[in-house]
Amino acid sequence: MPAFDVQQFRQQFTFFQQQPDWVYLDNAATMHKPQVVIEAVTRFYQQYNSNVHRGAHQLSQQATALFEQARNTVASYINAQHLHEVIFCSGATAALNQIAFGLMHTVLQPGDRILLTQLEHHANIVPWQLHCQRFGVIIDVVPLTTDHQLDMLAYQQLLQLKPKVVSFSHISNVLGHIQPVAEMVALAKAAGAITVVDGAQGIVYQQPDMQQLDCDFYVFSGHKLYGPTGIGVLYGKTTQLTRLTPIFAGGEMIDSVSFVNTTFNKLPFRLEAGTPNIAGAIGLSAAIEWLQKINNKQIVQHKLLLLKEFYNGLTAIKGIDILSSSVHNAGIVALNVDSEHPADVAELLNQQKIAVRSGQHCAMPLFSYLARPGAIRCSFAAYNTLDDVNRCLLALEQAVEILTA
Ligand SMILES: Cc1ncc(COP(=O)(O)O)c(C=O)c1O
């Protein structure tokens, strides 16, 4: 396999042309956008701007065609069986809220159980919790092993409690660990559960195949896949989507309304209330089309190389507490400098134009479990270089010297 040409890839991002000094290692928060995505969004506003589905005029028809083409691009990228199984929403958070709310009103009964894991993002905890108390539903949590991987034995034991829903992330946004999603979905299905995969970090690591994975729901945000912010996808099997009570009402999701009764439109519109993020969907589609021209195996190899160099460098620096394991890692590393506050470390890096995130990364239960107040998180993308890795390592070495002097 030919090596990945990182410089050629990087050139496609105007940000790096205009801001060559920045080492951007905050990719798990959001990724930079290639010029093709920026142009697709701009072109929409300059040439086609119009609302979708409703207008009698040509502009609206063109906007509708572009929007529905975007749905098509997403559906074929994730190999959904039907176009209407792709619901556009504002992101993974919105999608998870829709699923939790929707199932709570239709499927879940008092005394039912939901199974989550210790390393979930708040977006995959709180929406469930918000409704569980009211509906009398119980949450169980899969613990981690000593190397901070999911405890699969405990997972299987908890499945024996017959949860109605099992919801877990494809890749941990803090530790970067890749979960054995296919195995987890298969086990959950065998236990009779509805399966929800939070693909917010998984979507950029590998192209997910809904037919192979066979989960009931898979959600992700466009901005973590080189696309715009404010657009995301709720994929669901038709049978499961039909069971969801809509969280929002109005607009295209309506079939008929009277003060006595309302009937709803068919999927996907039933779950897309109000004017959708048309430009966002078009931008996401442009990102996917662009990504499909690049060999993902090369990208995975490139990120593995960065990760290896980063780990080698980190282990040579005294005083670094690495929380992430280097195995089954998608390119996200959480770490601390001794017991120093992560915000201080991140600020020292920021002063050298190295962008990392610090804090608890919307995963407080994970940090309680890890018994750490937080961490800095370095997350790599395909446009990062070995030079980025070395600059970050050097800055961390200096941070150790400054903070522990
Ligand atoms: C694993 C995971 N789930 C959910 C989310 C929420 O995504 P968004 O804020 O784009 O809705 C994130 C964002 O960081 C995430 O990493």
Side-chain angles (χ1 to χ4, degrees), residues 310-318 322:
F310 193 53
Y311 264 94
N312 284 345
L314 283 180
T315 42
I317 306 173
K318 233 174 127 216
I322 310 173

Side-chain angles (χ1 to χ4, degrees), residues 69-347:
Q69 181 51 42
R71 196 187 309 277
N72 202 359
T73 306
V74 173
S76 66
Y77 189 65
I78 63 173
N79 196 18
Q81 197 174 3
H82 303 288
L83 277 182
H84 65 246
E85 292 179 331
V86 170
I87 311 294
F88 283 124
C89 58
S90 66
T93 303
L96 288 163
N97 273 274
Q98 169 61 81
I99 297 168
F101 176 90
L103 291 176
M104 239 13 117
H105 279 264
T106 49
V107 173
L108 292 156
Q109 304 290 327
D112 282 346
R113 309 188 88 92
I114 292 176
L115 185 55
L116 307 175
T117 86
Q118 189 69 46
L119 43 70
E120 295 313 311
H121 188 280
H122 295 161
N124 194 27
I125 301 174
V126 184
W128 301 107
Q129 216 170 40
L130 266 179
H131 306 288
C132 275
Q133 281 161 354
R134 179 163 161 229
F135 287 85
V137 173
I138 302 154
I139 294 179
D140 295 307
V141 181
V142 183
L144 305 186
T145 56
T146 44
D147 57 352
H148 307 161
Q149 305 282 353
L150 268 193
D151 185 338
M152 288 298 285
L153 205 63
Y155 178 60
Q156 292 182 55
Q157 283 162 355
L158 286 162
L159 284 176
Q160 287 171 14
L161 298 176
K162 296 280 170 209
K164 276 257 177 80
V165 179
V166 178
S167 187
F168 52 84
S169 49
H170 186 161
I171 289 172
S172 157
N173 69 305
V174 178
L175 300 171
H177 299 170
I178 306 160
Q179 313 307 343
V181 268
E183 187 188 349
M184 289 176 77
V185 168
L187 287 166
K189 285 177 83 78
I194 294 172
T195 49
V196 183
V197 181
D198 173 359
Q201 300 294 338
I203 191 73
V204 69
Y205 177 70
Q206 72 185 159
Q207 183 176 351
D209 183 324
M210 293 306 117
Q211 302 314 304
Q212 259 178 27
L213 192 54
D214 203 27
C215 54
D216 294 305
F217 295 104
Y218 190 98
V219 308
F220 63 92
S221 302
H223 69 101
K224 299 196 202 263
L225 188 66
Y226 303 98
T229 50
I231 185 74
V233 170
L234 188 183
Y235 157 82
K237 287 187 176 173
T238 306
T239 45
Q240 301 298 353
L241 287 174
T242 310
R243 299 167 95 183
L244 296 184
T245 302
I247 197 169
F248 293 118
E252 198 55 26
M253 58 87 73
I254 300 297
D255 176 35
S256 73
V257 179
S258 76
F259 279 107
V260 182
N261 192 28
T262 295
T263 56
F264 299 123
N265 202 346
K266 58 185 193 307
L267 290 170
F269 312 113
R270 196 172 72 88
L271 294 169
E272 290 180 351
T275 299
N277 184 350
I278 309 162
I282 291 167
L284 173 58
S285 171
I288 290 175
E289 281 168 11
W290 165 80
L291 254 184
Q292 281 179 306
K293 295 186 193 130
I294 301 157
N295 183 338
N296 190 47
K297 282 198 182 121
Q298 285 185 335
I299 291 185
V300 170
Q301 280 307 112
H302 172 68
K303 279 170 66 181
L304 270 179
L305 176 74
L306 299 180
L307 201 63
K308 194 166 154 239
E309 286 297 306
F310 193 53
Y311 264 94
N312 284 345
L314 283 180
T315 42
I317 306 173
K318 233 174 127 216
I320 300 275
D321 170 26
I322 310 173
L323 304 179
S324 304
S325 160
S326 61
V327 285
H328 306 307
N329 191 312
I332 302 175
V333 183
L335 60 97
N336 276 308
V337 168
D338 263 340
S339 53
E340 300 302 326
H341 199 289
D344 294 337
V345 182
E347 176 48 27

Side-chain angles (χ1 to χ4, degrees), residues 378-398:
C378 304
S379 48
F380 296 93
Y383 43 62
N384 289 122
T385 62
L386 282 173
D387 189 47
D388 290 344
V389 170
N390 291 329
R391 270 186 60 194
C392 184
L393 287 169
L394 190 62
L396 281 169
E397 221 174 304
Q398 289 166 355

